[in-house]
Amino acid sequence: MNHRLLPVAAIALLLLGCNPDKEKENTPELTIPTTYHFERGGSSSVSYQGQKDRLNMLSEIKSYLKTGDKGKELSSQHLLDMFANANSPFESADLNVSSKKLENKTNPAEVEFNKSLFTEAAAVSKEVAENGTMADEGVAGSIQRGTSEKFINVNEKGWEFTQFIEKGLMGSVFYHQIFNVYLSDARTGDDVDNETIEEGKNHTPMEHHWDEAFGYWGVPVDFPNGDPVLTDDQERFWAKYTLGRNELLNVSEPLMKAYITGRAAIVAKDYPTKNAQKEVIIDFHELVTAATAVHYINKSMNNFSSGDTGSMFHTLSEGYNFVKAIQYSPRKKITQADINEILNEDFGTDGDFWTVTMEGLREAKNKLTTAYPELKEVEDEL
């Protein structure tokens, strides 16, 4: 055998093995649909029922907490059961038989904090129900919002339980799961299995993980082009606040397009495109959160000026938790030091809303609009 021919033969075999035309034939083209709808073999390959269940669980928790605001005594065990989906705690029979729960998807650093809020919310509701205790500086109880018939239960710092639990779990479950779990390399990185169709399913593991991130956003598959864009039962959590910020910031369509394009790129095994969409998704979700924090700071400033302490505690409770949610972003544009300063100084000493000042609220707003310059031009309109 002429050994001088071996390198030539090897190169020929290498070229044959890497035939770009042949590779192109085996790689699906990047086809981007107009809605979040993907099929394989004529059936949908999209699945995120677990995320729908958890969104519905939080809706039921919020509804139950609001009965406490209306004077009913809450059960701490019932709230803990709803968190853990134990002992059939939900009105929905479907949720009671679901294997899903909120507790095991909550950022580990926030699990005990939320449990303590459930316990405290129940104790304060009992005090309000039995003794009609009204909130005062350093005293937990009920407080009226303006001259309306609306009352809210707050702790000794003025933290409204309903808002702290709802908005807090939006961050520590939904936001945390999108960014730190499903968009992580461990779930949608290039090395994740995107070949095997899961047993009994119609998706690959990578496809499913991307769908799960989308599911926590909570928008319909045709967002934002439906009529209405969000139905009454869809107008909640991150879907509601994305749409709420859209008029000033044009966030809905680019965010939806990134989710759809990323999913299409996974089908086409176009990983550079998939990874680029992750960056877009993180940026827009984070911008929505920062803008919504500014929105509630503006409302708090108005309530402060009018002397409506109850409404100020309500909007501060929302703003506090939107600021806190930013920290779950893996590459947040605001520093953790600034987040901590907003929560523990600008929103009152150690987060005590009774001690908040107009100067502190202005400082919190300035920190956010400095970190997110896109908000500067619309900071007073948010």
Side-chain angles (χ1 to χ4, degrees):
M1 184 175 181
N2 187 343
H3 294 280
R4 287 181 298 178
L5 295 177
L6 279 176
V8 177
I11 291 170
L13 285 171
L14 187 62
L15 289 173
L16 184 62
C18 298
N19 186 326
D21 291 336
K22 190 168 184 176
E23 279 195 352
K24 191 173 181 180
E25 286 175 9
N26 294 330
T27 303
E29 290 186 7
L30 181 60
T31 303
I32 303 172
T34 56
T35 66
Y36 200 91
H37 181 79
F38 296 88
E39 290 187 349
R40 175 175 288 108
S43 299
S44 174
S45 63
V46 175
S47 174
Y48 50 87
Q49 184 59 46
Q51 286 61 43
K52 294 177 183 175
D53 285 353
R54 292 189 183 91
L55 266 61
N56 290 335
M57 288 173 185
L58 185 52
S59 285
E60 282 213 24
I61 289 175
K62 182 181 181 183
S63 294
Y64 181 62
L65 287 165
K66 289 175 79 171
T67 66
D69 293 326
K70 294 176 181 174
K72 180 183 175 181
E73 180 181 343
L74 302 174
S75 161
S76 61
Q77 188 57 56
H78 186 64
L79 283 164
L80 291 168
D81 284 347
M82 294 175 98
F83 193 41
N85 195 9
N87 304 313
S88 301
F90 296 107
E91 291 184 4
S92 164
D94 289 340
L95 292 183
N96 289 330
V97 299
S98 170
S99 61
K100 310 305 178 185
K101 54 189 76 174
L102 287 164
E103 181 176 344
N104 66 351
K105 296 297 181 182
T106 302
N107 183 289
E110 293 294 314
V111 171
E112 292 306 317
F113 174 69
N114 277 285
K115 287 183 175 179
S116 70
L117 282 178
F118 292 142
T119 301
E120 195 177 5
V124 172
S125 73
K126 177 180 173 65
E127 183 65 27
V128 171
E130 292 184 350
N131 302 313
T133 302
M134 300 303 292
D136 204 340
E137 188 163 358
V139 178
S142 178
I143 188 167
Q144 188 174 13
R145 293 185 57 191
T147 56
S148 71
E149 297 300 315
K150 292 181 180 177
F151 288 79
I152 55 174
N153 288 345
V154 300
N155 73 1
E156 75 281 359
K157 290 184 174 180
W159 294 3
E160 182 189 343
F161 295 109
T162 301
Q163 296 304 323
F164 257 72
I165 291 168
E166 182 207 10
K167 303 310 190 291
L169 290 175
M170 280 173 57
S172 62
V173 179
F174 305 158
Y175 212 14
H176 166 64
Q177 289 291 319
I178 290 172
F179 292 145
N180 301 316
V181 179
Y182 291 111
L183 294 187
S184 70
D185 285 346
R187 297 298 179 94
T188 48
D190 296 354
D191 294 331
V192 173
D193 185 357
N194 192 25
E195 298 289 344
T196 308
I197 304 301
E198 294 185 351
E199 187 175 353
K201 308 293 182 183
N202 195 28
H203 50 243
T204 68
M206 188 191 291
E207 289 172 344
H208 185 45
H209 296 158
W210 191 272
D211 294 343
E212 289 178 297
F214 175 74
Y216 276 120
W217 186 20
V219 301
V221 297
D222 61 352
F223 186 78
N225 298 312
D227 184 17
V229 177
L230 297 175
T231 60
D232 289 344
D233 60 338
Q234 292 165 340
E235 193 170 7
R236 58 181 180 174
F237 312 136
W238 291 113
K240 171 184 175 180
Y241 292 103
T242 302
L243 185 60
R245 305 287 80 77
N246 187 62
E247 184 175 350
L248 291 176
L249 298 171
N250 185 31
V251 289
S252 296
E253 196 161 326
L255 194 43
M256 186 65 173
K257 186 177 179 182
Y259 271 108
I260 294 174
T261 303
R263 181 58 157 81
I266 290 173
V267 173
K269 297 181 174 54
D270 179 352
Y271 297 150
T273 298
K274 177 257 296 178
N275 293 333
Q277 304 318 302
K278 285 188 184 183
E279 305 302 307
V280 175
I281 290 168
I282 290 170
D283 282 350
F284 274 99
H285 273 315
E286 189 177 327
L287 182 63
V288 166
T289 310
T292 305
V294 173
H295 169 78
Y296 282 114
I297 289 171
N298 285 338
K299 284 184 170 291
S300 299
M301 294 168 80
N302 291 336
N303 292 325
F304 186 97
S305 296
S306 65
D308 183 352
T309 303
S311 292
M312 185 179 73
F313 286 176
H314 174 74
T315 51
L316 272 177
S317 295
E318 298 190 90
Y320 184 102
N321 284 286
F322 279 107
V323 172
K324 190 175 176 181
I326 298 173
Q327 70 186 345
Y328 298 111
S329 173
R331 52 189 183 87
K332 57 186 178 291
K333 293 172 181 164
I334 189 170
T335 67
Q336 188 63 47
D338 276 349
I339 290 176
N340 293 341
E341 202 167 295
I342 292 172
L343 299 181
N344 299 310
E345 296 182 28
D346 299 338
F347 281 3
T349 306
D350 294 328
D352 184 345
F353 294 166
W354 289 99
T355 65
V356 76
T357 64
M358 185 64 85
E359 183 182 355
L361 293 174
R362 288 196 192 98
E363 182 56 34
K365 184 175 172 179
N366 183 59
K367 286 187 177 79
L368 288 162
T369 55
T370 300
Y372 302 89
E374 309 95 309
L375 304 181
K376 204 67 177 175
E377 286 188 7
V378 295
E379 62 179 344
D380 295 327
E381 299 172 69
L382 284 166

